[in-house]
Each structure stands twice: as structure tokens, then as C-alpha cells.
Amino acid sequence: MKEYIYMPEVRRVFRCTVPDENIRQVFLVDGVLQEEETEKNGIILKRGPEEKGLYMRVQGDHFGETIQIISVRSEDLPGPLEFTNKWELEPGAGIQIIVCDHTLNEHLYQTSRFSKIILGEDACLDILFMQNENIRSHYRLDLIANLDKGSQLDCHVLSFYGGIINNKLHAVMNHPEAVCRMDGLFLADGEQDIKYDISVDHNAPECYSRQLFKGILDNHSRGSFNGAIKVAPGAQKTEAYQANHNLLLTNDAKITTKPQLEIYADDVKCSHGASIGRMDEMGLFYLRSRGISLAEAKMLQQMAFVEDVLAGIRTESIRERLEKMVESRLRGEFKKCSNCTMHCC
Amino acid sequence: MLRIKDLCVSIGEKEILRGINLEIKPGETHAIMGPNGSGKSTLASVLAGRETFTVTGGSATFMGKDLFAMTPEERARLGFFLGFQYPVEIPGLTIVNFMKAAINEQRKYKNLPALSSGEFLKMMREKMAVVEMDPSFVGRGVNVGFSGGEKKRNEIFQMAMLEPMLAILDETDSGLDVDALRVVAQGVNKLKTKENAFVVITHYQRLLNYIIPDIVHVLYKGQIIKTAGKNLALEVENKGYDHFINKK
Ligand SMILES: Nc1ncnc2c1ncn2[C@@H]1O[C@H](COP(=O)(O)OP(=O)(O)O)[C@@H](O)[C@H]1O
Ligand SMILES: [Mg+2]
């Protein structure tokens, strides 16, 4: 698929140039923002309703900063938790957000986050979710994004650890010329159960959306992917693409995948596809015939499988760190924060 | 270096190799010819360790070790190399990452430290030059979207990187134009020493104008029906396989 270049020049060169150590970090502990209401560099941060969740507003013309939102569950609040985030970019604003969700121990935490994203006209949001709790936790993300005219959302969701992970991602384009890319990667082993529900509403003409989700499932893990693209009457010149590809490493791992398209306009380009595959025996033999061990060959094949999802992460330093994390996750070395390369805790 | 005795190989119920005897010594170049389906690729794959085939009889030693007791990667680390008739595409894996993994595993096996990025890239550049491969290939997916000729060059490039003791090249010349053929042959000749050995599997005499074999074998229905000097290749070219088959 050819790369869609729609945004004006300034959007295309949008990159995080902030050195890693200068990334602004914001902490939420058990859903509570750990700082006072602030307004810094055109970004307003405060607590949401009932003192929980994060409300963020990025003022227009503000461009290029990276904020890392580190959200942890702790022993102070072992019970189920729900909170609501609202992140709003004013017209013309641009920001990169990295969300890292962790648990501080192996307790069976249950956490539901409702996150509302509002992108003003020509606003540009690059957002990455790192879902890295523990092998027992119940993780739920319910995200709805509203894209105004000419705005651009780039969303990456990486599901690494969590007993049950439920991701519901919903993008709504009620105005023309919006661009919405949502990609994801889920790596499951043991008894993990990871579910994605994606819906994309094209309610206005000339919008572009694409989703690329890939899963690798080991042991007895379960996965499910439900995708729905709706193109409303009148949403002409829509381009919408959806793909979900999965690699099963064992006979016991299971995945169900259901990409769906509902189209009520006639001048559109849409496609969807899904696949479920296993390791390529011939590929493994080829690698081994060059002296690469079986374990390493499997590793290379898995990394090759997820390569295009990672390649979509535009900030090079972050992409490189994530490649390392994916690799150590696949090697099973990655159960503790100390092995994480996001430098947050 | 390689000694094969009475080798019998099947796939499922089907017997493909029916008693192969072959000895390859350091410094030698062998050619194996034979009609399609005679078992040439099967022989090469079995020696490299492909598990879809079952060895039902016979034995093989390589560098003094029991070949069939080793995994494919162990054979490779000992210096065995197979140039695939149909090189495998691996989307998402770049040639540079592929070769880095291969070279590092080989060095680990030889108790050598891993190469620095600089040293490694220098080595890549040198070896790519041997097969006149465009340096832009390093960042491309392994064999993905390569033409037939580019795939074969890539095989020879990998051989140049790994510097094997014994390389079996399975129809590396098929589908190559004259220029590509010359490049592939030059690559082989540059790598040739008194210590290593080559086996070229081919249908055509033309490759053997560039790579002069010491010994030529004709394989037919899973058996070597004739072994002789380099002129045998010419004889095959002129008279066809039938000539030998009928004689037998
Ligand atoms: N994977 C396979 N399954 C079944 N038969 C095979 C397989 N691979 C090769 N064969 C059979 O083995 C015989 C020898 O094949 P091959 O070794 O490829 O011959 P050559 O390389 O000399 O053309 C052929 O009859 C072919 O059909
Ligand atoms: Mg063949």
C-alpha cells in the first residue's frame, strides 16, 4: 500500500526532537494525577472528575513536545478502578504522547480507562500505548477519538503483559480530510487473553483511515480481533484499509478475527484482510542453513513478522527502544519493569 | 571432507535417493548433472539438514563428524553451505540483520568476539562487491521482490560472507543471463582455495566453462550412473542423458 501523504509540509516533518531525558513525564498513581494543575508550554494538565484521570488540553500553535504519561497501579488501592481521561488538542496543535501502563506488583488489578480524544482542526496527535501490566491483571482501554477537519491521529497500541486485555478503539471522522492511522501489536503467551474491538466511522468525505494489527500467540493464549469500518452515505473519496495478521506458535493458541466493512458510499477505496499463520518451516530451514540456531531463527521470523507495525512508529529513538522491548518480550525476559526500556519507573 | 556411503532417502513412501556414494576432498570441484526429478535437490537438501526427507539408509561424514547427527545450524557452523535452487523470501527481515545474526552465531561457535558494527558493514560491502551486488540491497527484505538473478547473487554473497569449507550450489546458474552467470562464477572462483571444495549442480555445460570441475557425476533416478572428468559434461551436453541411461 502506498504511503498516504496528505498533510501539509509542516505535519510531515513533525517529529519528536526532544532528547529522551527531556521528555516530560506525568504520573498517575491508581488513576490520580501526581501533580497540581499546571499550565506549561501551552499544555494544561489537571485532574478529571472526582479527582481521577487526566485532563489535558494542548493549545493551538503548540507543536512538537512529547509527554509520557505513566500510569501505575499500586498496593494502596487493590480493588477495581475506573477513571476517565480527556485529551484535547486545539486547532493546529500537535503533540506526541506515550502512555505507559504498569502495575507495581503481580496483584490481580482491574483497571478500566475511558479515554476521550478530541482533535481540533488540523491538529496532529501521535500517541503510543504501552500496555505492560502483569500476567494476572485485567486491563481495559476504552478509547474514543473525534477528528475534526484536516486533523491527523497516529495511534499505536502495544499489548505486552496483562492477564486479560480489552482494547476498544473507536475513531469518528465527522469532518473532511482527516487522517486516522491505528496500528497495534499484541504478544500473548501463557493463558493471556487479548481482545481488540476497533471501529472507524467515516461520516465525512475525503478522510483516510488505516489499521494494521498483528498478533503473536504462544502457549494457550487467546486473541480476538473485531474490526468495523463504516462509511456513511455521502462520505465520498474515503480511503479505508484494515488488516489483521496473526502468527500462532502452538496448536493450543487460538485467535478469532473478524474484519468488517460497511459501505454506503460509492466512490471509495476500501479493503480489509485477515490471516492466521504459523512459522514458515522453509524460512526457518533457510535461516538455520546459515548457522543460525533454531531459537534465534524463530526469533528473527517473529521480529520480521511485526516489522511493519514497528516501522510505522516515526520517532526513531522510540522505535529503536520498542524494537528492543518487543524482542525481549518475545524472549520472555520481560516480566519486570527493570527490563523495560521506557525509563519511566 | 565429505564422504557419503550408500545413502537412501525417502519422502513419505516415495524413495528418492537409492544408494548414493560420493567422496569430496579439499580443493576439489565437483559437478552433478542429471535430468529434472532425478534427486539432485533432494541430495543437496538432505545434506543441509532439511527435515522433510527421511534418511532410510547409508551414512555421511563431514569434517570427520556424522553429518546426519547434526542440526542444520551445526552443519553450517562446521562449514557446510547450500546455495538454494529456490532461495526463500523473508519479508520484514533485512539482509543486514540476517547476515549479522549468521556471522555472530558463527563467531560465537568459533569463540571469537562479535564484530563491531563498523567491521561488519565493511565486510558486507567487500563481499557485496565480489558479486557486484548493489549496496542498497542491505536494507531490503531477504529475497523479497528480487529477480531470479538477484536471488542467486544473494546466495553467492551469503557464501562469500560465511566462507564455507564445502558449498553445494543447486542450479545457481538456472535463469541467469550471461553477465550474471559470469559474476556468479567469478564469485566462486575468487573464494576457491586448496582447503575448500565446491559442488555445482547444473543442467548446462555453460557454467562449467567458467567453473571448471575436476569430477562430473550424472545422477539419474536417485543413483549416480556415471562419474568421470570434466569432459563428461560436454558429452552430456552433446548427447543428452538418454545416452548414459541406455548404456546402463
Ligand atoms: N516435498 C516433496 N514431496 C514429494 N515429492 C518430492 C518433494 N520434493 C521432491 N520430490 C520428488 O523427488 C524427486 C526428486 O526431486 P528433486 O530432488 O527436486 O530433483 P531435481 O533437483 O534433480 O530436479 C521428484 O520426483 C520430486 O517430485
Ligand atoms: Mg532441483
Side-chain angles (χ1 to χ4, degrees):
Chain A
M1 189 191 309
K2 88 173 193 299
E3 185 69 296
Y4 188 84
I5 298 172
Y6 151 76
M7 282 289 163
E9 195 55 28
V10 66
R11 299 280 188 275
R12 246 186 292 150
V13 298
F14 167 56
R15 285 215 168 78
C16 165
T17 48
V18 188
D20 295 339
E21 58 267 31
N22 288 343
I23 289 183
R24 183 167 169 195
Q25 295 189 322
V26 174
F27 285 87
L28 291 175
V29 177
D30 296 317
V32 179
L33 176 65
Q34 301 296 298
E35 57 189 77
E36 295 300 313
E37 177 171 340
T38 55
E39 182 180 342
K40 202 164 99 186
N41 298 336
I43 301 174
I44 298 165
L45 294 177
K46 62 181 184 189
R47 291 179 185 167
E50 295 172 34
E51 297 290 297
K52 286 192 289 189
L54 173 66
Y55 178 87
M56 171 163 51
R57 192 178 174 91
V58 184
Q59 290 170 349
D61 309 333
H62 184 81
F63 223 86
E65 185 158 359
T66 299
I67 286 202
Q68 187 177 16
I69 300 167
I70 298 141
S71 175
V72 296
R73 291 298 309 271
S74 77
E75 52 271 25
D76 295 344
L77 189 77
L81 172 68
E82 267 186 33
F83 59 93
T84 302
N85 298 311
K86 187 170 158 194
W87 301 332
E88 189 168 354
L89 274 68
E90 290 184 358
I95 193 174
Q96 175 168 264
I97 301 175
I98 302 169
V99 183
C100 295
D101 290 314
H102 300 297
T103 57
L104 291 183
N105 52 47
E106 305 277 289
H107 182 77
L108 197 164
Y109 291 105
Q110 298 180 35
T111 318
S112 300
R113 307 143 184 87
F114 299 91
S115 295
K116 182 158 190 168
I117 289 176
I118 300 161
L119 297 186
E121 214 172 295
D122 291 327
C124 185
L125 173 64
D126 218 315
I127 188 165
L128 175 81
F129 291 90
M130 287 281 321
Q131 303 174 338
N132 194 24
E133 296 202 325
N134 69 58
I135 203 74
R136 303 174 67 207
S137 75
H138 293 189
Y139 177 106
R140 182 178 177 85
L141 170 66
D142 206 325
L143 179 118
I144 177 155
N146 278 295
L147 286 80
D148 208 331
K149 182 169 188 289
S151 63
Q152 177 170 340
L153 173 66
D154 262 288
C155 176
H156 282 86
V157 184
L158 307 180
S159 306
F160 284 178
Y161 268 112
I164 298 175
I165 297 180
N166 260 309
N167 285 307
K168 207 166 159 188
L169 313 174
H170 185 187
V172 183
M173 289 177 273
N174 287 333
H175 304 277
E177 296 171 16
V179 173
C180 174
R181 263 199 339 175
M182 295 196 284
D183 292 351
L185 195 60
F186 46 104
L187 309 177
D189 58 18
E191 306 286 325
Q192 275 184 273
D193 187 341
I194 302 185
K195 189 170 170 201
Y196 274 84
D197 281 290
I198 315 271
S199 47
V200 177
D201 296 346
H202 280 268
N203 295 330
E206 292 176 51
C207 291
Y208 171 95
S209 72
R210 84 126 211 227
Q211 298 94 53
L212 174 63
F213 284 81
K214 288 195 165 181
I216 301 181
L217 294 105
D218 201 353
N219 310 123
H220 287 82
S221 61
R222 293 271 178 283
S224 121
F225 180 90
N226 285 296
I229 300 174
K230 285 190 197 128
V231 181
Q236 302 297 2
K237 306 263 185 242
T238 289
E239 279 189 61
Y241 307 101
Q242 183 170 78
N244 167 236
H245 301 294
N246 305 286
L247 189 60
L248 300 184
L249 303 185
T250 65
N251 289 330
D252 296 322
K254 292 233 158 32
I255 175 94
T256 54
T257 174
K258 204 166 71 180
Q260 285 174 296
L261 275 172
E262 257 180 65
I263 304 174
Y264 301 101
D266 49 17
D267 183 14
V268 299
K269 285 186 197 159
C270 296
S271 73
H272 64 158
S275 67
I276 300 172
R278 297 189 182 276
M279 289 277 192
D280 174 21
E281 286 302 325
M282 203 56 211
L284 290 178
F285 175 60
Y286 191 59
L287 295 171
R288 295 174 78 190
S289 79
R290 300 319 186 221
I292 297 170
S293 68
L294 178 60
E296 202 58 29
K298 286 182 174 172
M299 189 67 216
L300 288 174
Q301 213 170 77
Q302 291 175 62
M303 287 304 288
F305 177 71
V306 301
E307 191 274 340
D308 50 356
V309 174
L310 293 172
I313 295 168
R314 286 186 291 182
T315 308
E316 196 181 332
S317 59
I318 292 176
R319 186 177 60 245
E320 282 170 1
R321 273 185 282 160
L322 289 172
E323 279 167 2
K324 287 206 182 78
M325 277 175 78
V326 168
E327 193 175 326
S328 63
R329 170 66 184 82
L330 290 171
R331 288 184 198 280
E333 300 165 351
F334 189 69
K335 294 202 164 127
K336 292 268 176 328
C337 271
S338 54
N339 292 335
C340 169
T341 54
M342 296 310 281
H343 313 306
C344 52
C345 305
Chain B
M1 178 179 294
L2 178 71
R3 178 173 300 170
I4 303 171
K5 268 196 189 148
D6 301 324
L7 177 63
C8 294
V9 170
S10 300
I11 180 157
E13 296 289 285
K14 190 169 165 188
E15 205 180 20
I16 300 174
L17 299 182
R18 300 178 300 142
I20 302 277
N21 289 289
L22 187 61
E23 178 162 8
I24 296 163
K25 299 199 182 89
E28 288 180 350
T29 299
H30 291 234
I32 298 179
M33 305 181 83
N36 278 330
S38 57
K40 304 182 298 295
S41 293
T42 302
L43 175 62
S45 306
V46 149
L47 296 176
R50 183 106 212 269
E51 279 150 6
T52 37
F53 301 101
T54 326
V55 176
T56 52
S59 64
T61 53
F62 175 58
M63 307 292 285
K65 294 195 178 174
D66 178 0
L67 188 73
F68 298 130
M70 291 186 275
T71 62
E73 54 269 35
E74 286 165 345
R75 302 176 199 198
R77 290 172 200 156
L78 257 190
F80 187 94
F81 181 89
L82 170 62
F84 283 59
Q85 181 175 6
Y86 304 109
V88 183
E89 296 184 13
I90 308 180
L93 176 63
T94 57
I95 293 192
V96 58
N97 285 344
F98 173 30
M99 279 295 106
K100 201 180 268 173
I103 293 289
N104 282 340
E105 293 244 11
Q106 192 187 51
R107 292 182 67 89
K108 204 161 68 185
Y109 173 78
K110 291 183 180 163
N111 277 322
L112 294 168
L115 287 178
S116 73
S117 290
E119 289 166 326
F120 178 74
L121 289 174
K122 183 163 170 275
M123 178 178 176
M124 289 269 292
R125 272 197 303 274
E126 285 169 10
K127 305 297 183 175
M128 286 180 114
V130 172
V131 289
E132 298 175 18
M133 203 164 147
D134 192 292
S136 69
F137 274 78
V138 293
R140 290 184 51 178
V142 177
N143 294 320
V144 180
F146 287 23
S147 70
E150 286 163 350
K151 284 182 181 169
K152 298 303 172 73
R153 271 178 211 229
N154 188 21
E155 294 296 290
I156 302 297
F157 159 69
Q158 292 171 42
M159 179 176 84
M161 289 291 286
L162 295 166
E163 296 182 341
M165 295 306 293
L166 173 64
I168 299 188
L169 304 178
D170 191 359
E171 294 201 27
T172 302
D173 55 333
S174 293
L176 294 191
D177 60 36
V178 184
D179 283 340
L181 191 69
R182 177 185 49 79
V183 167
V184 164
Q186 274 175 6
V188 171
N189 289 331
K190 272 184 203 161
L191 293 168
K192 205 172 168 209
T193 65
K194 283 196 192 64
E195 281 77 44
N196 61 19
F198 290 87
V199 177
V200 290
I201 295 175
T202 181
H203 278 296
Y204 308 104
Q205 159 63 25
R206 60 174 196 166
L207 178 68
L208 305 178
N209 289 333
Y210 297 95
I211 303 173
I212 317 261
D214 304 299
I215 299 166
V216 178
H217 311 272
V218 175
L219 189 67
Y220 179 71
K221 286 194 176 163
Q223 288 179 324
I224 291 179
I225 56 169
K226 184 147 175 111
T227 295
K230 65 172 189 270
N231 290 333
L232 178 57
L234 273 174
E235 222 179 306
V236 167
E237 185 101 336
N238 294 334
K239 299 182 183 160
Y241 295 113
D242 291 347
H243 172 71
F244 301 98
I245 298 160
N246 295 338
K247 253 186 173 171
K248 208 196 167 217

